[in-house]
Amino acid sequence: MRLGLVVLAIGCGDGKDATEDVGEADTDTDADTDPDTDTDTDTDTDTTPDLTPLTCADAACDGDPTGHWTILGQCYDDPRFEEFEAECAGIDVERYGLGGDGSIRFDGSTYTFDVGGSTGITVVVSPDCNTGCLNYQLPELGVDCTTTGEGGCECMGSPATESWNDEGTWTQDGGTLTLVSTASGGGSRPIEICATGTAIWLYDPNSDLAITGIPAQ
């Protein structure tokens, strides 16, 4: 008789209906109106310039220079660059434009040159090619070298570039322009040219100066 009472007490629980044990549903429909205002305040400390290699023509070619051109830099034809690269396959020399280096405009029969700025030069020497970083420095071109952690060299510089300011009239015969300057009292001089529509290259044999550029935007 006592056992039956115990079972009865467990089966009845607290006397509530079984359906009342289900918890009430959450009917809160409030939207989260707290906007995420966190901003990334990290500062990019990478100061490496975005360098664009200069593509310089090897020789004069026929082409129409008419238009407005942005000059990117000068094409330094220093024989030591070729000597460096001939020493070892792991030595690479590059020339870079450091932003706009001036402009040239050929309109009809007239021209205007306003060129001057800076051009970057890099010499990268792999560890297996390195015979001493001082051997690759070119002080007259502003190129200084540092030793890399692996034992190679990284050299970079920006030589002072010559300005080329002139205006006058021009005629063309194949890959040669004849410039008649009004700025220098009407003197004329031949200029080698290669214009492809997407790039221009000019070489002045009198000053041994070559420049390259792209159409102005």
Side-chain angles (χ1 to χ4, degrees):
M1 185 68 177
R2 180 174 298 177
L3 179 60
L5 291 175
V6 173
V7 172
L8 179 62
I10 296 175
C12 293
D14 56 5
K16 293 182 180 179
D17 188 280
T19 60
E20 295 179 8
D21 289 338
V22 179
E24 295 182 0
D26 185 1
T27 58
D28 183 4
T29 58
D30 294 341
D32 184 3
T33 58
D34 182 15
D36 184 2
T37 58
D38 294 341
T39 57
D40 184 2
T41 58
D42 293 341
T43 302
D44 185 1
T45 57
D46 184 4
T47 58
T48 302
D50 184 12
L51 302 176
T52 303
L54 296 180
T55 301
C56 300
D58 294 326
C61 68
D62 198 358
D64 184 5
T66 302
H68 186 195
W69 304 87
T70 295
I71 301 305
L72 299 180
Q74 297 184 14
C75 301
Y76 289 93
D77 190 20
D78 192 298
R80 286 168 295 184
F81 294 156
E82 295 182 2
E83 292 174 5
F84 289 164
E85 292 180 309
E87 287 179 12
C88 186
I91 299 178
D92 181 57
V93 179
E94 291 282 1
R95 294 165 297 219
Y96 296 88
L98 301 178
D101 205 37
S103 65
I104 288 178
R105 186 187 296 273
F106 291 96
D107 292 322
S109 62
T110 63
Y111 70 87
T112 303
F113 288 8
D114 183 11
V115 179
S118 58
T119 302
I121 298 172
T122 64
V123 181
V124 178
V125 183
S126 63
D128 58 312
C129 293
N130 186 14
T131 60
C133 290
L134 289 178
N135 294 329
Y136 308 103
Q137 294 196 156
L138 300 173
E140 62 275 27
L141 294 179
V143 177
D144 294 319
C145 299
T146 58
T147 303
T148 65
E150 295 78 19
C153 297
E154 290 182 351
C155 313
M156 181 174 287
S158 179
T161 59
E162 297 181 46
S163 60
W164 192 349
N165 301 304
D166 194 12
E167 60 183 20
T169 60
W170 63 282
T171 56
Q172 182 175 7
D173 181 12
T176 301
L177 298 181
T178 298
L179 306 182
V180 180
S181 173
T182 58
S184 61
S188 65
R189 57 179 174 174
I191 299 294
E192 296 180 18
I193 186 172
C194 185
T196 64
T198 58
I200 193 170
W201 170 86
L202 296 166
Y203 172 66
D204 180 2
N206 293 327
S207 60
D208 193 25
L209 175 64
I211 59 177
T212 187
I214 58 176
Q217 303 297 318

